Amino acid sequence: MNNKIKLVMSKADEEFVVKMRRDIHQHPEISGQEERTAARVIKELNSMKISDIRSGIAGHGIIAVIGKKKEGQLTVALRADMDALPIQEQTNLPFASVNEGVMHACGHDSHIAMLLGAARLLKSVEGELNGQVVLIFQPAEENAPVGGSRPMIEAGALDSPKPDAVFGLHVWPTLPVGQVGVRSGFLMGASDRFKLTIKGKGGHASMPHETVDSIIVAMQVIQALQTIVSRNVNPMDAGVITIGKLEAGTRYNVIADEAVLEGTVRLQRPEVRSLLKQRVEQVAELVAKSLGARAQLEYSEGYPVLVNSEEETEMVRLATSRWLGKDALATIEPALTAEDFAVYLQKFPGSFCWLGCGFPDESKNFPLHHPQFQVDERVLPIGAQLLAEIALTYIQEKSR
Ligand SMILES: [Zn+2]
Ligand SMILES: [Zn+2]
């Protein structure tokens, strides 16, 4: 029985995880360009004598399998994302990024190290596993709306062995180290992206009557877009429309011919998506038209809503409380941030949890995607063992 398996993280295992994280942190690569990162992962998997490895999936994706299941046994998948962000690091860490303008500001360096650490632990008990574990090292998580999970699935990465459940985690700076945020059902929002091009008619700043001022039109469009969530969406449903970028004009005394707006739409209920998309288009078009301009919308549907399945989430709770104690379980509220882990959950049952990485010294905590973001490294061995514990708990409990 698997419940006889006791995972022990040695000092060497702990050092390994920290070393991995620092190495990957120092050499970040943006979405789709995770070449060195993937090579490093493969090298480590090889040195653990894991023989079943497929690489180069949907770019730099890697699948590795530990254990061989017998008839009736289960396959559980664990996923880590591998990409960094186009951000200039400002942490002053001795192992800060050597790649100008690129930084592991979302903690995916930690995720890779944790999954490698979990691999070491699981490999050490491979002979006793009553099932098998699929490791997913996924590229391009930050590359919405495409992402890396969908292309990997479409490339057949999870066709054989086909997982019975998929689990993943994300470091979370607002939770202290040692806390695990677990929640079944809705956890994270769907995220779409759009670009609105407003075509006016440029001209001399002193003769507005002979022009169509695209900046004025853009302002009205932005205002009107903000009425969609407040006036068209049921107040009991969550939704957000944010314009994050606005570009227009060339000179102080020239009326801008064109304005370009870029934004994101976030929502909780999949049904709200078509309403928001349709209203963004209508509002932009009609407001622009009323002012003599034209609006052109490019809209891409991004990551779906992330919904954790009930039973699998219970496995995460069980694994956490058995190993770290009940107090380690943190109550968390869902957020409209998005994650392409959601795509796995459309195909497989599973659960995604938030792993506290916050320092006791609050002044050292910065949000994800911040140039000063860093994790309290004590989270690294915890994350590694947690992933392995989840896999073991799932195999053991579900095989009963
Ligand atoms: Zn991110
Ligand atoms: Zn992330």
Side-chain angles (χ1 to χ4, degrees):
M1 280 300 288
N2 273 310
N3 55 3
K4 285 194 189 129
I5 300 180
K6 190 160 170 52
L7 295 172
V8 182
M9 192 150 218
S10 67
K11 195 92 197 126
D13 292 329
E14 287 188 16
E15 283 165 7
F16 167 77
V17 183
V18 172
K19 191 175 117 201
M20 279 303 119
R21 183 261 165 161
R22 292 184 178 185
D23 177 73
I24 289 171
H25 187 88
Q26 197 163 15
H27 302 96
E29 294 168 306
I30 59 164
S31 312
Q33 297 179 16
E34 307 88 346
E35 195 179 338
R36 182 197 178 273
T37 310
R40 183 75 213 229
V41 168
I42 293 166
K43 184 177 163 228
E44 296 306 325
L45 294 172
N46 281 328
S47 71
M48 290 175 212
K49 307 224 167 354
I50 294 173
S51 53
D52 190 350
I53 302 173
R54 280 173 286 151
S55 60
I57 308 167
H60 297 291
I62 301 161
I63 294 286
V65 185
I66 298 175
K68 199 150 186 65
K69 73 166 182 178
K70 299 189 195 80
E71 185 72 28
Q73 292 183 339
L74 295 168
T75 301
V76 55
L78 302 172
R79 172 269 208 172
D81 40 10
M82 298 196 289
D83 52 333
L85 286 155
I87 291 176
Q88 180 62 44
E89 181 160 352
Q90 294 170 18
T91 61
N92 290 323
L93 288 168
F95 51 89
S97 169
V98 294
N99 296 340
E100 188 70 17
V102 185
M103 175 191 177
H104 268 294
C106 201
H108 301 183
D109 50 340
S110 300
H111 303 162
I112 299 166
M114 288 167 187
L115 191 53
L116 285 171
R120 248 166 94 123
L121 287 175
L122 291 166
K123 185 68 187 171
S124 72
V125 296
E126 188 176 29
E128 304 154 69
L129 280 178
N130 290 327
Q132 63 189 357
V133 184
V134 175
L135 312 172
I136 307 169
F137 291 92
Q138 182 213 299
E141 192 284 326
E142 302 283 0
N143 196 28
V146 183
S149 55
R150 194 180 303 281
M152 276 190 84
I153 291 169
E154 283 171 2
L158 298 176
D159 289 353
S160 173
K162 188 172 180 274
D164 295 292
V166 184
F167 295 91
L169 55 75
H170 205 295
V171 289
W172 214 254
T174 52
L175 290 174
V177 168
Q179 292 278 290
V180 187
V182 185
R183 186 187 169 92
S184 64
F186 171 68
L187 182 66
M188 293 166 101
S191 149
D192 296 348
R193 180 174 178 164
F194 65 88
K195 182 174 172 182
L196 260 175
T197 306
I198 291 168
K199 295 260 187 209
K201 187 178 166 217
H204 198 284
S206 66
M207 298 180 182
H209 58 292
E210 289 179 1
T211 72
V212 175
D213 187 341
S214 68
I215 291 181
I216 297 290
V217 178
M219 281 167 50
Q220 304 265 357
V221 168
I222 292 169
Q223 300 266 19
L225 288 176
Q226 289 310 325
T227 65
I228 297 174
V229 171
S230 69
R231 300 295 89 176
N232 302 136
V233 176
N234 182 333
M236 303 311 286
D237 291 330
V240 172
I241 296 176
T242 292
I243 304 291
K245 189 173 171 187
L246 165 60
E247 266 180 355
T250 51
R251 243 185 91 83
Y252 81 100
N253 62 355
V254 176
I255 286 176
D257 185 53
E258 186 180 282
V260 180
L261 287 63
E262 287 183 58
T264 181
V265 167
R266 304 293 172 106
L267 50 113
Q268 172 177 0
R269 273 204 320 127
E271 295 83 349
V272 177
R273 183 175 239 158
S274 55
L275 168 72
L276 288 172
K277 181 179 170 183
Q278 191 190 23
R279 287 298 291 150
V280 167
E281 185 157 32
Q282 281 173 347
V283 166
E285 245 173 45
L286 295 175
V287 170
K289 196 174 173 193
S290 74
L291 296 168
R294 278 179 300 127
Q296 209 178 13
L297 176 69
E298 290 165 53
Y299 193 102
S300 339
E301 289 193 10
Y303 301 161
V305 174
L306 191 150
V307 183
N308 286 330
S309 59
E310 195 86 40
E311 275 183 47
E312 284 65 28
T313 304
E314 197 45 46
M315 294 300 143
V316 178
R317 269 195 206 104
L318 204 58
T320 306
S321 56
R322 275 183 189 164
W323 172 51
L324 290 170
K326 272 202 164 50
D327 290 346
L329 288 167
T331 311
I332 51 170
E333 293 299 324
L336 290 184
T337 46
E339 236 296 340
D340 86 341
F341 189 85
V343 177
Y344 299 105
L345 295 179
Q346 286 189 318
K347 304 257 173 198
F348 309 97
S351 195
F352 190 70
C353 63
W354 295 347
L355 182 62
C357 67
F359 292 90
D361 174 3
E362 284 288 329
S363 69
K364 287 171 89 175
N365 292 325
F366 293 90
L368 298 170
H369 293 205
H370 190 283
Q372 285 169 278
F373 169 75
Q374 48 175 312
V375 301
D376 182 333
E377 283 190 327
R378 290 176 303 161
V379 73
L380 300 170
I382 295 177
Q385 185 159 352
L386 180 64
L387 286 168
E389 297 280 355
I390 291 170
L392 283 186
T393 303
Y394 178 82
I395 289 173
Q396 167 198 319
E397 293 294 322
K398 293 286 259 192
S399 319
R400 270 175 204 274

